[in-house]
Amino acid sequence: MGKFRLSFLLTAAVLASGFLAMLPMAWMGAEALESSYRESAIRDMTSNAAVFSLAVGPVLGPGGNRDELLKIVRNARIGSQTRYTVISGDGKVLADSDE
């Protein structure tokens, strides 16, 4: 009976130490995935903003048409879960896709 108990304790100790050794690696892996996801999201938002600005830029000029701006913003929202908001330099909301 003593050999069985010793074998069980050694097996449990090896398994526990292996599990504890893997915890920091799992933690670092989760942080690396989160960082990668965040960087990807920032790149996507930046490229979306650049393309969106090309579409709304001409409408924002002098004599810009608010109805045309709203149409562009609402059309950009179709098929997307992204909310688009156009804000003037003084902080006034000019158009919002969820308006």
Side-chain angles (χ1 to χ4, degrees):
M1 193 86 131
K3 287 183 181 182
F4 175 74
R5 182 176 166 98
L6 179 62
S7 169
F8 175 77
L9 289 175
L10 286 174
T11 302
V14 167
L15 289 174
S17 65
F19 177 75
L20 290 174
M22 289 176 22
L23 281 177
M25 291 185 290
W27 184 276
M28 289 177 10
E31 290 208 3
L33 281 174
E34 180 183 354
S35 175
S36 174
Y37 173 76
R38 186 179 301 117
E39 290 172 12
S40 176
I42 289 170
R43 273 194 311 273
D44 287 349
M45 285 188 277
T46 302
S47 65
N48 281 348
V51 170
F52 186 69
S53 69
L54 291 174
V56 299
V59 180
L60 292 176
N65 183 341
R66 177 165 162 68
D67 291 334
E68 184 65 24
L69 180 61
L70 286 171
K71 181 180 172 186
I72 292 170
V73 171
R74 288 184 180 139
N75 285 339
R77 176 79 162 136
I78 295 173
S80 170
Q81 293 184 6
T82 303
R83 180 179 182 171
Y84 293 92
T85 305
V86 179
I87 303 172
S88 68
D90 62 358
K92 180 182 175 188
V93 174
L94 303 175
D96 191 322
S97 61
D98 288 358
E99 190 172 51

